[in-house]
Amino acid sequence: MNDKLTVPASERMKLDNQICFAFYVCSKEIIKKYRPLLTPLGLTYTGYITMLALWEKDKIPVKALGEKLYLDSGTLTPLLKKLESQGFVKRSRSEIDERQVIVSLTEAGHELQQKAAAIPERLVHSFEMDEVQAKQMIESLHFMMKQAPC
Amino acid sequence: MNDKLTVPASERMKLDNQICFAFYVCSKEIIKKYRPLLTPLGLTYTGYITMLALWEKDKIPVKALGEKLYLDSGTLTPLLKKLESQGFVKRSRSEIDERQVIVSLTEAGHELQQKAAAIPERLVHSFEMDEVQAKQMIESLHFMMKQAPC
DNA sequence: CTCTATTTAATTGTTTACAATTTAATGAGA
DNA sequence: TCTCATTAAATTGTAAACAATTAAATAGAG
């Protein structure tokens, strides 16, 4: 074992060398930037990504939605109830399998997509990052996401 | 303006093309991986990064700690009270400026550092990423963090 | 020195997230 | 068919995080 020329523990334990901390901060700060754009639409950040998923494909069970969003029913159930009370989605038991609750978009839910269409562009611009850089970054992140559920 | 050969809105609004979502998922999933390593030490993830900051430099006011950690007093006050009740830190009013609460490590807080020393290495390994890749990623993230508070 | 503005923590209220458990429905094996 | 295991969603309890406000101390202007 002569490959142990790694950095000392003191160095490895510095906050600025923690990849976890960098992700954690970036994630929080990006979400903060969304808030002022989403609040006028009546959405929280979690509500927004849920709507993004549903705009791609709705009429799906809570389970499938949770897999897309990396969220469980403990988070989704109250969130979906709120989106339902706002009139954006409808929740209904599947007739084929009554364990499943199918989430679908309402008319208002579909209409909201137009109002939200400008958001992604505005956000990318708020970081000084061109589309190529953004694309590379997303690729790296997806590589990590794929390893996540292990 | 003939540089408008950008992707269509439908493409930009896909969940998998949202850099925010990728950060959000990576951050959550990394934190999840820490849990089983931190629980035996009596730490949550937020408690852990707080201790990391204090191991680098303690006897600092809550404000300065919050700037390092990108957290405000609303999050830190209850967290520090808990770390105090566990015997890892001590909170005391500054005598020079009584508005400030100075956070310092106890003996047990210092000792905890030894027990936590193995954690960073174990985590990097749980992602299939070598140290060079990790270093590049951290640099990109820090570039984004620096832009955050605007 | 006095009054006002600013700063620091703490508090309050709301949302987010997950682990663990519960309930109900379905599936599988004997 | 009748268990027993599995699955889906909901529920419960706890920790995080932030916005907005409050209380107390300090700084600054006149």
Side-chain angles (χ1 to χ4, degrees), chain A residues 23-128:
Chain A
F23 270 109
Y24 163 82
V25 171
C26 281
S27 171
K28 284 197 311 173
E29 297 301 322
I30 295 174
I31 289 172
K32 252 188 247 180
K33 290 201 178 191
Y34 272 93
R35 220 177 306 264
L37 303 179
L38 295 175
T39 305
L41 304 182
L43 292 176
T44 60
Y45 179 73
T46 320
Y48 172 63
I49 60 170
T50 303
M51 293 304 287
L52 281 178
L54 291 172
W55 288 326
E56 274 185 62
K57 177 164 174 47
D58 73 331
K59 292 166 190 155
I60 57 169
V62 172
K63 180 77 189 287
L65 189 58
E67 277 163 8
K68 270 195 185 178
L69 297 172
Y70 292 73
L71 292 173
D72 69 2
S73 68
T75 305
L76 280 177
T77 297
L79 173 66
L80 291 170
K81 282 182 180 172
K82 196 191 163 195
L83 290 173
E84 187 172 43
S85 79
Q86 294 178 290
F88 297 138
V89 309
K90 198 164 87 70
R91 301 184 317 133
S92 51
R93 288 276 160 191
S94 162
E95 288 175 15
I96 305 139
D97 184 342
E98 296 212 350
R99 289 172 302 184
Q100 298 184 346
V101 167
I102 307 297
V103 185
S104 40
L105 290 167
T106 61
E107 192 63 31
H110 280 292
E111 284 167 10
L112 192 63
Q113 187 173 15
Q114 312 309 320
K115 295 182 196 156
I119 292 179
E121 199 195 10
R122 291 181 60 186
L123 248 291
V124 171
H125 279 255
S126 86
F127 288 98
E128 278 158 27

Side-chain angles (χ1 to χ4, degrees), chain B residues 66-94:
Chain B
E67 277 163 8
K68 271 194 184 177
L69 297 171
Y70 292 72
L71 293 172
D72 69 2
S73 67
T75 305
L76 280 177
T77 298
L79 173 66
L80 292 170
K81 282 181 179 173
K82 195 191 164 195
L83 290 173
E84 187 172 43
S85 78
Q86 293 177 292
F88 297 138
V89 309
K90 199 166 86 72
R91 302 182 316 133
S92 51
R93 289 276 161 191
S94 162

Side-chain angles (χ1 to χ4, degrees), chain B residues 44 46 70-71 74-75 96-99:
Chain B
T44 61
T46 320
Y70 292 72
L71 293 172
T75 305
I96 304 138
D97 183 343
E98 296 213 349
R99 289 171 302 183

Side-chain angles (χ1 to χ4, degrees), chain B residues 22-142:
Chain B
F23 270 110
Y24 163 81
V25 172
C26 282
S27 171
K28 284 198 310 172
E29 297 301 322
I30 296 174
I31 290 173
K32 253 189 245 181
K33 290 201 180 193
Y34 273 92
R35 220 178 307 264
L37 303 179
L38 295 175
T39 306
L41 304 182
L43 292 176
T44 61
Y45 179 74
T46 320
Y48 173 64
I49 59 170
T50 303
M51 294 303 288
L52 281 178
L54 291 172
W55 287 326
E56 274 186 61
K57 177 165 172 47
D58 74 329
K59 292 166 191 157
I60 57 171
V62 172
K63 179 77 188 287
L65 189 58
E67 277 163 8
K68 271 194 184 177
L69 297 171
Y70 292 72
L71 293 172
D72 69 2
S73 67
T75 305
L76 280 177
T77 298
L79 173 66
L80 292 170
K81 282 181 179 173
K82 195 191 164 195
L83 290 173
E84 187 172 43
S85 78
Q86 293 177 292
F88 297 138
V89 309
K90 199 166 86 72
R91 302 182 316 133
S92 51
R93 289 276 161 191
S94 162
E95 287 174 16
I96 304 138
D97 183 343
E98 296 213 349
R99 289 171 302 183
Q100 299 184 345
V101 167
I102 307 298
V103 185
S104 41
L105 290 166
T106 62
E107 192 63 31
H110 281 291
E111 284 167 10
L112 192 63
Q113 186 173 17
Q114 312 308 319
K115 296 181 196 159
I119 292 180
E121 200 195 8
R122 292 181 61 184
L123 248 292
V124 172
H125 279 256
S126 85
F127 289 97
E128 278 160 26
M129 193 185 262
D130 60 39
E131 298 215 11
V132 178
Q133 286 176 303
K135 204 150 194 159
Q136 284 174 349
M137 178 66 88
I138 288 184
E139 271 171 34
S140 302
L141 298 177
H142 277 265

